[in-house]
Amino acid sequence: MITAPRFNYIITIHNKEFLIEKVLTSILMCCRNNSHIYPVLDGCTDNTEAIVDSLIEKFANVPITKVYTPDVHEILSINAGLRAANQDNDGYNIILQDDVILADFMLEEKVTKLYEWVGSNLGFVSFRLGANFAKDAATSETGFFTDYVENAYGHGIPAKVLLPGHFAYRTVPIKSPVCIPSALIRSVGMLEERLAPYMYDDLEYAIRCIKAGFMNGVFAIRFYSDIKWGTTRAKPDIQMGTIAKRNLEKIREWHGDEIKKICEVGQNQEIVQIPHMVSEVENRLALDTWEKNHQELERFSNTLGRRMIRMIKSIVKR
C-alpha cells in the first residue's frame, strides 16, 4: 500500500489571539490522514496559547505539537518548527504566518499533484508571490527583482495575476504561505539563520535551491490574508530598511557569482495550468477577489503612507 506523503503545517505565531482560531481551524480543514500541525509560539504574551490548547482538545484526531521560541521573529521560529517536524520521509512543509487563512481544502491533493506533474526537481514554491532577478541584480542598488507574479488571492500588487491551479516558474518564491518539501530540507538545509531576525531569507534559500539543481515557482491556491492583519505591515519596523540592506549585502557576498550565473543563463517566465485542477467558476471568484484586494491595498497604502511620513518626521525631530 502506498503511504500518503506527510504534510507538516508550520505556523509562526506572535500575539494573534483575535485571529489564531480561524487560522488554525482553516489548517485543520486541510488536514488528511498524514498531517501534523506545529504552531510556533514566538514570545506570545496574550491568550494565543490557551486558544491553541482548546483546539488541541477539540481536534484530537489531528496531532498538534506546540513549539516555543523566545520572541525571535520569523527566520528562527520557522527553523524551530522545521526541526520539530519529521523530515526523514517524503512529505511537504507548508509554512505560513499567523495572518493567513487557508481556504483550499483540497490543498494536500493539489500540492501532491503539482510536484508529481512538474517533477522531482521542483523545489521551493510560494502560494502567494514570486519574481525573477533583474539583469544586474548582483550589483544594482535598485530594481533587484522583475517579472513579478502574484496569486489572485494575494494582496493585489501590480504584478501578473496567477489564477488557481496555475504554476509560474520563478527564481524567487516570496512568502507566505510557502511549501518546502522534506527532501529539499535534507538536500539544501533550513533557512539561513545569519539573516535573522527576518528579511530576504526566502531569496537566499531560493538561490541555494537553484544551486542544488532545483526549480522554484509560484502555485496559486485559495487563501485569505487581509492587509490589515499583518503586524509588520500595519506597524512598520523603523529598522526594516536597515535590516533589508544588511541582508542583501550578505547575500551578494555569499552568492554574488551564482546570481550572475542565474541572470546570464536566463530565467523561466513560463506559466502553466496543471490539468484538471480548477473550474471557470473558481477562476472568476479569484479574479473578483484580486480586484477587491487591489482596491483595498490602494486605500491601505495611502493611509499607511501618511502614517510613515509622520513617523519619519518624528524621528528626524529627535
Side-chain angles (χ1 to χ4, degrees):
M1 185 176 71
I2 299 175
T3 303
R6 178 186 174 100
F7 275 79
N8 300 315
Y9 293 87
I10 297 167
I11 171 171
T12 57
I13 310 169
H14 178 74
N15 289 350
K16 274 293 194 301
E17 63 180 7
F18 76 95
L19 189 62
I20 199 60
E21 184 170 5
K22 291 181 180 178
V23 172
L24 282 172
T25 301
S26 78
I27 295 172
L28 286 160
M29 295 293 289
C30 294
C31 289
R32 299 296 182 265
N33 293 333
N34 210 10
S35 305
H36 200 127
I37 301 173
Y38 296 87
V40 184
L41 301 166
D42 184 25
C44 292
T45 57
D46 63 358
N47 199 40
T48 294
E49 186 172 6
I51 295 170
V52 173
D53 289 338
S54 69
L55 289 172
I56 290 174
E57 293 179 7
K58 291 177 185 176
F59 294 89
N61 58 316
V62 178
I64 302 176
T65 300
K66 293 185 293 185
V67 180
Y68 296 93
T69 53
D71 198 7
V72 294
H73 215 292
E74 193 170 17
I75 296 174
L76 298 179
S77 59
I78 289 173
N79 278 355
L82 290 171
R83 289 190 184 96
N86 182 351
Q87 308 295 348
D88 295 334
N89 302 314
D90 290 337
Y92 305 96
N93 298 284
I94 308 299
I95 302 168
L96 60 154
Q97 294 164 324
D98 54 11
D99 61 346
V100 174
I101 295 177
L102 299 177
D104 195 326
F105 305 130
M106 297 294 289
L107 183 146
E108 295 189 4
E109 290 84 346
K110 289 181 178 181
V111 169
T112 302
K113 186 174 181 179
L114 168 70
Y115 277 85
E116 290 174 349
W117 193 83
V118 176
S120 59
N121 63 339
L122 178 59
F124 184 21
V125 171
S126 171
F127 299 143
R128 181 191 293 268
L129 179 66
N132 285 333
F133 288 135
K135 289 183 179 179
D136 58 349
T139 56
S140 175
E141 292 298 321
T142 58
F144 196 81
F145 295 120
T146 188
D147 301 327
Y148 279 97
V149 62
E150 185 185 37
N151 181 353
Y153 286 100
H155 287 312
I157 69 169
K160 187 170 289 185
V161 180
L162 191 68
L163 292 175
H166 288 69
F167 176 76
Y169 292 92
R170 288 297 185 273
T171 300
V172 182
I174 301 171
K175 58 181 178 291
S176 122
V178 298
C179 177
I180 302 179
S182 293
L184 200 60
I185 297 292
R186 297 195 297 270
S187 174
V188 177
M190 299 188 186
L191 301 183
E192 176 53 74
E193 296 191 349
R194 288 176 292 177
L195 298 175
Y198 62 93
M199 292 296 284
Y200 289 136
D201 46 294
D202 36 18
L203 161 59
E204 195 278 336
Y205 197 74
I207 296 170
R208 278 193 279 145
C209 290
I210 292 172
K211 212 170 186 176
F214 293 92
M215 299 181 298
N216 305 319
V218 184
F219 181 57
I221 58 101
R222 187 177 175 185
F223 71 90
Y224 296 101
S225 183
D226 194 297
I227 189 72
K228 297 186 290 296
W229 295 344
T231 305
T232 302
R233 291 186 292 269
K235 300 177 182 177
D237 183 352
I238 60 174
Q239 296 297 318
M240 186 180 294
T242 302
I243 294 171
K245 185 174 184 294
R246 180 205 69 178
N247 285 1
L248 198 54
E249 288 174 353
K250 286 180 179 291
I251 291 168
R252 282 175 167 157
E253 177 187 341
W254 300 333
H255 303 298
D257 290 342
E258 187 66 23
I259 294 172
K260 288 180 183 177
K261 180 181 175 182
I262 291 169
C263 294
E264 288 170 359
V265 171
Q267 301 168 85
N268 198 338
Q269 301 179 44
E270 185 181 7
I271 295 177
V272 295
Q273 182 174 3
I274 311 301
H276 313 299
M277 190 75 78
V278 294
S279 67
E280 283 302 314
V281 173
E282 290 176 278
N283 284 337
R284 287 197 297 272
L285 175 61
L287 287 172
D288 289 345
T289 303
W290 181 89
E291 182 62 35
K292 175 185 173 185
N293 288 349
H294 179 68
Q295 293 173 2
E296 177 67 18
L297 178 62
E298 287 188 334
R299 288 192 294 269
F300 186 79
S301 297
N302 290 335
T303 303
L304 183 60
R306 291 192 294 271
R307 188 186 310 164
M308 290 187 72
I309 289 170
R310 288 197 298 269
M311 181 180 69
I312 291 168
K313 286 181 177 178
S314 68
I315 292 170
V316 171
K317 287 178 181 177
R318 294 173 194 165

